[in-house]
Amino acid sequence: MSINSPAFKGIYKVTMPNVKTAKDEKEKAAFTEAAINTVVMGANTVTAPPRTDGKGSVYFKIDDKNDAKFEQGFANILAECNKTFNVDMAKKAYIQKVSEAEFNNAKEA
C-alpha cells in the first residue's frame, strides 16, 4: 500500500521569473542561474517527475528526508545569486508547500 500524503512528502511549487522579463544582463544571469540550480537540486531529491502549471512554476515532490535540504538549498541559491549578481531574488523567486491534489493536477514537465 502506498501512502501519498503531504504529511510524508513535501510538495513544493517553485516560482521563478521569466528570463525575458529581466531588465538587464545582470538580472538575466541571476534568473538563469537560480532556475538551473533549482532544477538540478530538485532532480536530485524528487520522488516523482517534476510537473508544471504552464505559467512559470514547477512542482517538485521531495522525499520527506530531504525537505529541509531542499528548502535550505533554495535559500542558498537565492543568497548566492544576490551576492554574485546583486539582484534581490527573494522578491522574484520563491517556494511554497502545496497539496498533493495541486501537484496531481499539474502537467508533467
Side-chain angles (χ1 to χ4, degrees):
M1 182 169 131
S2 174
I3 299 175
N4 289 322
S5 166
F8 296 98
K9 304 252 187 282
I11 300 173
Y12 294 89
K13 179 179 180 180
V14 178
T15 303
M16 296 272 183
N18 188 319
V19 174
K20 294 176 186 173
T21 65
K23 64 182 179 191
D24 57 32
E25 288 302 311
K26 195 166 47 167
E27 196 170 76
K28 187 176 187 177
F31 292 177
T32 303
E33 184 83 5
I36 289 170
N37 287 337
T38 300
V39 169
V40 169
M41 177 185 65
N44 290 323
T45 57
V46 296
T47 61
R51 294 177 175 238
T52 180
D53 65 2
K55 301 173 189 167
S57 296
V58 177
Y59 295 88
F60 295 98
K61 190 172 191 178
I62 305 298
D63 187 311
D64 57 343
K65 71 179 187 251
N66 290 321
D67 274 0
K69 288 179 187 176
F70 186 80
E71 290 177 19
Q72 186 58 54
F74 187 74
N76 291 344
I77 289 167
L78 296 188
E80 191 59 34
C81 285
N82 292 347
K83 189 170 84 178
T84 303
F85 303 105
N86 196 28
V87 173
D88 188 359
M89 288 298 293
K91 291 183 178 180
K92 303 187 182 289
Y94 54 92
I95 60 174
Q96 59 194 123
K97 276 199 162 192
V98 297
S99 69
E100 180 98 14
E102 185 172 340
F103 177 82
N104 290 338
N105 286 330
K107 297 181 182 183
E108 283 202 29

